[in-house]
Amino acid sequence: YVKREKEYKQEEGFEVVLIGSSNVAMIRQTHGHYFGIDSYETILDSLENAETSFARNKSFSQESRRLLQVFYTREYWGKKKVSYETLKNHFCQDISDLDGAIVPLEYQGLVIVKKDRGKRSYSLNPKKKADIEKQL
């Protein structure tokens, strides 16, 4: 990096940057002006969209993925729900923090929660099937 900075001087119109990402498409979206894709006027909008995208694409914990697998293999989708008690006492005894595994799935809209008389039940969101399958 230092070598390139000395070779390509700012006074001569160069800007040396170090950018890293696991997704090249995201770099083109967030730093498109380096590739002649975006104008400077659209950079802030691109960064805001990329930040939202990064937040949505966060990887889930192993326990959250395990919970998704339980819902998926037992086909708890939409109206077919499973109670919190059944998850905790039967299907997910190996998940030490069940609430901690459920919350990110709810937040991302992958799992639907139904509350009735103080009891919770859950199912997978059919509208998010593609997103759920990416996580499994």
Side-chain angles (χ1 to χ4, degrees), residues 66-77 124 129 132-133 136:
R66 167 80 178 101
L67 183 56
L68 271 181
Q69 188 69 47
V70 168
F71 286 123
Y72 191 83
T73 56
R74 296 185 178 273
E75 299 180 349
Y76 288 110
W77 290 91
L124 294 174
K129 185 174 183 180
I132 290 166
E133 288 177 342
L136 296 175

Side-chain angles (χ1 to χ4, degrees), residues 19-35:
I19 303 170
S21 175
S22 61
N23 185 340
V24 174
M26 190 62 68
I27 291 174
R28 287 196 177 276
Q29 182 180 356
T30 59
H31 296 78
H33 60 286
Y34 290 114
F35 303 97

Side-chain angles (χ1 to χ4, degrees), residues 10-58:
Q10 188 174 5
E11 306 82 51
E12 296 172 5
F14 293 102
E15 185 176 10
V16 176
V17 295
L18 178 62
I19 303 170
S21 175
S22 61
N23 185 340
V24 174
M26 190 62 68
I27 291 174
R28 287 196 177 276
Q29 182 180 356
T30 59
H31 296 78
H33 60 286
Y34 290 114
F35 303 97
I37 297 170
D38 287 332
S39 66
Y40 285 103
E41 291 80 29
T42 61
I43 292 171
L44 290 178
D45 289 337
S46 294
L47 287 173
E48 186 174 311
N49 291 338
E51 182 179 346
T52 302
S53 178
F54 275 131
R56 285 191 186 131
N57 290 329
K58 279 186 179 175

Side-chain angles (χ1 to χ4, degrees), residues 27 74 81 113 115 126:
I27 291 174
R74 296 185 178 273
K81 300 179 279 296
V113 61
K115 296 177 184 173

